[in-house]
Amino acid sequence: MTSRSRAGILYRLLLRLQPRPFRQKYGAEMERAFVQLLGRERTFRGAAAVWLGGITDLLRSAVVERRASPCRKGHLMDTLRTDLRQALRGFAAMPGFTLAAVLTIALGIGANSAIFSLVSAAMLRPLPYANPEGVVMLWQTFDRFDIDEVPWTLHDYLDVRERSTQLSHAALFRSGSRVLAGTEPRRLQAATVSPVLFDLLGVPALHGRAFIAEDEQPASADRIVLSHATWQQVFGGRLDVIGSTVTLDGRPHDVLGVMPPTFRFPPPVTYGDVMLKMQPDIFLPFVVRPEPREGNHSHFAIGRLAPGATLDSANAELAAIAAALGGEHPTLNDGVGARAVSLQGQSVATFRTALIILLGAVACVLLVACTSVANLLMARAMGRKRELALRAAVGASRRRLVTQLLIESGTLGVAGGIAGLLIAAWVVRIVGQLNPLDLPDIYAAALDWRVLAFTLGVTFAAVLLFGLAPALQASRPDLLATLRSGARIAGSRGERRVKNVLAVTQVAVAVLLLVLASLTVRSLNALWTVDAGFDVESLLTFNVTLPDDRYPSAESHGIFTDRLMRELEGLPAVQSVAASSMLPFVFDKNSTNYFVEGEPPPAEGQAQFVDRTLVTEHYFDAIGAELLWGRAMTPADARAGRVGVVNEAFARRHWPNGDWEGRRMAFEEVPADDAGWVRIIGVIRDIRSAGLGLDAEPTIYLPLMRAPRSGFFVLVRGAMDAGALIAPTRAALSRIDPGLPMDDVELMATRKADSVRKPRFTAWLLGAFGVVALIIAATGLYGVMSYDAGQRTREIGIRIALGARPSSVRSLITRRGLGLTITGLLAGLAASIPASRAAESLLFGVRATDLLAFGFAGLTLLATGWLATWLPARRATRVDPMIALRSE
Amino acid sequence: MRDSDDLDLTPQRFQILLSLADQPRHGYGVMTDVLERTGGRMKLWPGMLYGSLKRLAEAGLVEESQAPADAPRDRMERRFYQLTPLGRDALEAEADRMAAYVAAARARSAV
C-alpha cells in the first residue's frame, strides 16, 4: 500500500464529519484533490502543513455544511453538542484543574508516541527500496569454524552471480574514501558498488543518471554518482555539476548524477558487532578486472530474489553452488558455504531489546499519568454529585450520565492527545539530532501514519482508563439517597477503594521505574569506571589515508610514516607519538587463526583466533598501556626477524603460569622453517579496544614498519591538553604533504564518551521516567491522604477533645497511608524482578537483582510515601478541636 | 439582474469564478489555477472549494458541464464546472465594482 492510498484512507475517514449528501456528492473528488495536494510536498514539514490545513478545512466545512443542511440525526448531534459545550464550559471554569489534567495526559501520550516512533522506524518501517522484501544480504560462511557471516571473494561472487537462477540481481559493495581536490582537500566517503546496484534497489537517480550494467567496463572506472547531501553541501546543489569533471585522488572523474535525498545505502547491516552505517558521499562503479583467483574475503554482497523465488529456494541453490565451487577449487573453497538473509530482518535485531524496554517503561509512565488524571476526575465528580443526582432525578438514564462524563473525559483526552503529539514531534526532532541510541541514518524517526494511528489508539485507551472508572462511580444509582441526605456529600466506600487501588498502582509503577533507572545508572557507572587498560586522557587521535597516486608502494608508505612520526615527535608539548592499524573504540576487526609452538594444533572446527594490530615502536607509551613483562618493539625489531607483543588475554590463555620467556607462535599454518615463527618479546595489560563493556580479546601487536600501510591511525600524547595539539599536528602534516587531509580527528576521551552514548541515554531516560513517576505517585498518595484526613476531621476532633495526643492521632492516620505505600512497594518490587531480568542484556557489571538498586528504589518510595502521608496528617491534627467537631 | 452585493462574493468565490471564466475546469484544476494566479497566496482547500462550488451552483452562478474534448481520460469520473451566463454577469459586475473602488482610491490620494 503506497503512502498516497494510506493518506486517502485517512482522509476518507475524516470526511465522515461531513453530512452524508455532501459527502456522497463531493467526497471522492475532495479526497483526490487532497491526495494530489499532499503528493506535491517533498518534506515532512510541508506534508504536516497540508495535513493540518486539510483537517482544519474539513472541520470548518463540516460545521458550515451541517448548519446549512437539515440534520436527520439531529437529536443525537444536539445532545452531543450540548454535552461538549457543557464540558468545555466546565473546564474553562476550572483552568488549573484542566491544565493539570491535559498536561499530565499530554506528557504520557507524548512520551509514548515519541518512543513508538523510534520503534516504528527501527522495526516496522520497510527499507526505502522498491519491493524491499525481495532484497537479501548475501554471505559466505566458514562452516568448519561455525562462522556464518563472511564477506565474499570476488571470484566466488562472480560465480554465484553467473550461476544463480533464484537471484535476479546481485551486487557487490565496498566502502572506502577518496580525496576531493580543492583549496582545502576534503575526504569523501566512497562506496564502490556493482553498477547494477541501483537497478537492484529500484531507486533511480534524481538528476542525471545512476550506474547501469554497462558501466562495469574498465572504461567507466572514473565515473561517480553523488549522494544528495554531498551534492548540496559540497557542490552547492548546482545542476551544472552533472556532466562535469572533478578530481578525486588526483584523477579526473565524471559526475553522472545525483541520488534522491531519501536514498540510503548501505543498509544498516551488522558485521561483527558493528553496523555498516556510514552513508557514502559518492558512489563509484565496481569494475571487474581480470585477476587471479584468491581467498581475500573483502566484498559485501546484496541480491534480489527472482520472481517466484523464495528465501529457502535461494538458500538451497546457494548451498549447491558453494558445494560445486568447493569441488572445483578445493584449496580455497573447501568448507566454504553461502547463504542469503532477508535484509529487513538483518537490520532490525540489534535494537530490539533496548527499544522494547523503553516502550515498556514509557507505557508505565502513561499508566501512572492516567491513574493520576483518574484521581483528579474522581475528585471533581465528587464535587458535582449534587448536579448529577438532580439530573438523575429528572429522568436522565445512567447511560446518559456516563456518556456525558465520558465526553468530558474524551475532550480532555483529545486535548491531551493533540498536545502529546506536539510534544512527541519535538522530542522526535531532538532525538533525531542527538541520535543517542546510535540508530543509523536510515532509521531517522518521523511521525508517520503508524505513529499517528498508535497515538490515536493510546489516547482512546487512556480516555477509557481514566474516564470510565470515575464516570461509573459518579453515576451510581444511590444518587437519590445522596439528594435526600442534603448536607453531607460523603465519599462512599467503593470510591475510597478505587482511590486506594489507584494510589497503590502509582506507587508500584514508580518503584518499577526507579528500580530500572537505578540499575541502568549503576550499570553506566560501572561501565564508565571500568579500567580500559590504557590512559584515555591527553591523547589526540586521527586517521591518515595515503592516496595511491602519490604513494604507490609499501616503501613509500613506510617513508611517510617514519617522517610523520619524527615530525610530530619534534613538536613542543608532545610526549610520545605512534601509528597503528587499529584504535580502541574504533571498530576494525582483523583476526586470524594461529598456532602456538609446543601445543597441538586445534581440532577441526575449533580454531582459535587472535586480533592483530600493527604498531610503531612507541605505541605502548603513546597509548599509556602497562607492560607486564618483557619489552616493547624497537626499530631494529622491525628489520630483523618476526617478533611481537601479546596482551594478557593471549598470554594467560596459553601460559597461565606466567612463564612467557622464549615463546613463539605462527599464523594460519605451522611454518616450514624458523623464519615463519613469531617470537613473543613482551606482554601488556589488556586494553578494552572493542568497547568498555567487552573484555579484551587475545591480541598480538606486530611492528607496523615491517608491513607499512596506506591507511593508519596516529596517536599523539601531549603533556596536558590534547586539544591544543590539533593545530600544530595539522601544520606538521601539511608540511609533509599539503594535499593530505587529517581525518577523523578526535580526542580519545571523546571517543570513550561517545562509546557509552547508548547506555547513558537509556539511563537518563529511565531516570527521568522514574522521577516523573515518583512525583506523580507522591502527589497521588498525598491527595488520597489529604482527602482521607479531611473525611475524618470530625473523628480527629473528638479524639483530641477526649485527650488523645496529637502524635498518636497522627500515627493512626499515617498508618493507613503507609499501608498503601508498602502494598504498592511490594507489588512494584515483585514486578521489578522479571522486568530487570528482561533488561539484563543492557546491563554491565550489575546483576539484574542488584540489592543496591532495589534497596534504593524501595527506600526512596518509603520515604516519599511517609512524607506524603505525614504532611496531611499533621495538618489535620493542627485544627482546633471545636472547629473539627462542628465540621461537616 | 441581481445586485452583486446580494451575492456575497467572497474573495475565494471570486477567484473560483475567475478560474472558470476562460474554460470549464474540475475541482483540482480550479485549485491549481487559483494557486498559480495568486502566486501561492490563496490556497483553496477541498472542503472550502467544494462547499463554495455547491453554493455557487445553488445561486445559479456555476453549473456542471461535460468534460472538454481534450481533457485527459483517467479512471475516475471528474466533475467539470463552467460559468452560467448569470455567473459571467456576476463576475463582470464584481470586477467593475472593484475597479471603481481602485479608481476612487487613486483619485482621492493621487496614488
Side-chain angles (χ1 to χ4, degrees), chain A residues 24 116 305 392-393 400 475 513 667 802:
Chain A
Q24 280 177 339
F116 181 79
L305 295 174
R400 186 76 197 78
S475 58
L513 287 176
F667 296 106
L802 290 179

Side-chain angles (χ1 to χ4, degrees), chain A residues 511-512 824-835 854:
Chain A
V511 167
L512 174 63
L825 190 61
L826 291 174
L829 288 175
S832 300
I833 296 179
F854 276 74

Side-chain angles (χ1 to χ4, degrees), chain A residues 25 29 32 36 57 65, chain B residues 47-48 54-55 76 79:
Chain A
K25 183 161 189 195
E29 291 187 56
R32 179 106 181 229
Q36 277 179 304
D57 168 64
E65 295 302 327
Chain B
M48 163 186 288
K54 175 177 149 223
R55 259 169 286 287
M76 191 182 125
R79 223 176 250 113

Side-chain angles (χ1 to χ4, degrees), chain A residues 108 298 562 653 678 723 779 793:
Chain A
S298 55
D562 192 50
R653 184 195 256 181
V678 176
T779 319
T793 315

Side-chain angles (χ1 to χ4, degrees), chain A residues 11 22 24-26 28-34 36-37 40-41 49-54 57-58 60-61 64-65 68, chain B residues 26-28 31-32 35 43-55 57 64 74-81:
Chain A
Y11 193 80
F22 185 82
Q24 280 177 339
K25 183 161 189 195
Y26 298 110
E29 291 187 56
M30 286 170 67
E31 177 195 334
R32 179 106 181 229
F34 178 78
Q36 277 179 304
L37 271 178
R40 288 156 63 124
E41 297 301 326
V50 171
W51 269 108
L52 197 62
D57 168 64
L58 279 178
R60 205 177 343 159
S61 128
V64 167
E65 295 302 327
Chain B
H26 55 69
Y28 186 65
M31 244 187 232
T32 45
L35 201 64
K43 197 169 201 162
L44 293 177
W45 294 96
M48 163 186 288
L49 171 68
Y50 285 95
S52 301
L53 282 171
K54 175 177 149 223
R55 259 169 286 287
E64 291 182 29
D74 51 25
R75 278 173 301 141
M76 191 182 125
E77 287 300 304
R78 284 194 201 265
R79 223 176 250 113
F80 277 76
Y81 300 90

